[in-house]
Amino acid sequence: MASIHKEISLGASPAAVWEVVRDIGAVHTRFAPGFVVDTVMDGADRIVTFANGFVAREVIVDVDEARRRLAYSVRSERITHHNASFEVLAEGDGSRLVWIADVLPAAAGESVGAMMAEGIQAAKRALDALAAA
């Protein structure tokens, strides 16, 4: 299994960052615009379209308000197992966003990791704009 871990420091408060992360239907407009180009809710699932054309069905597992943690799982023919989470933590005057994903087959970790690296940078741009506003 591949386990991928990404973290970024942000200038915005944990409450402000969590407000964006927990808005599960607005990934393309609030969380990672440019990296994600469309998000459509289908019941409790969200269908996310990425700028590279990849479309993923993400099953929302939990939105934990107390822990500021969002857990989800991707359903795909290429990936036999995927679970991931975002967690927003306090850090100094700002916050830290932690994104962890576990995937099988392990070989999928390379492409998932590359997408996560691009996605976390898009999130940083959008979330740092909160602190500047």
Side-chain angles (χ1 to χ4, degrees):
M1 179 178 300
S3 186
I4 305 141
H5 190 113
K6 304 289 182 191
E7 292 188 35
I8 52 172
S9 294
L10 301 163
S13 71
V17 172
W18 175 242
E19 180 57 33
V20 173
V21 172
R22 71 173 308 285
D23 190 358
I24 60 174
V27 179
H28 63 299
T29 58
R30 297 186 71 196
F31 183 69
F35 175 66
V36 174
V37 296
D38 193 30
T39 308
V40 176
M41 296 305 297
D42 183 17
D45 298 354
R46 65 182 175 193
I47 312 301
V48 179
T49 303
F50 297 89
N52 66 5
F54 181 70
V55 178
R57 174 175 289 274
E58 298 180 344
V59 178
I60 304 302
V61 176
D62 189 34
V63 179
D64 185 331
E65 299 289 346
R67 290 183 178 88
R68 292 188 185 114
R69 182 175 180 272
L70 167 67
Y72 68 98
S73 177
V74 172
R75 300 294 184 245
S76 169
E77 293 176 8
R78 298 180 317 138
I79 299 173
T80 58
H81 173 82
H82 176 282
N83 65 280
S85 65
F86 288 102
E87 190 169 4
V88 180
L89 306 168
E91 180 179 75
D93 291 334
S95 58
R96 174 165 289 278
L97 179 67
V98 178
W99 187 7
I100 299 171
D102 298 312
V103 298
L104 284 173
E110 187 174 329
S111 62
V112 171
M115 286 188 72
M116 287 173 63
E118 188 178 341
I120 199 122
Q121 290 308 309
K124 181 164 180 55
R125 286 188 297 274
L127 297 168
D128 275 346
L130 294 173

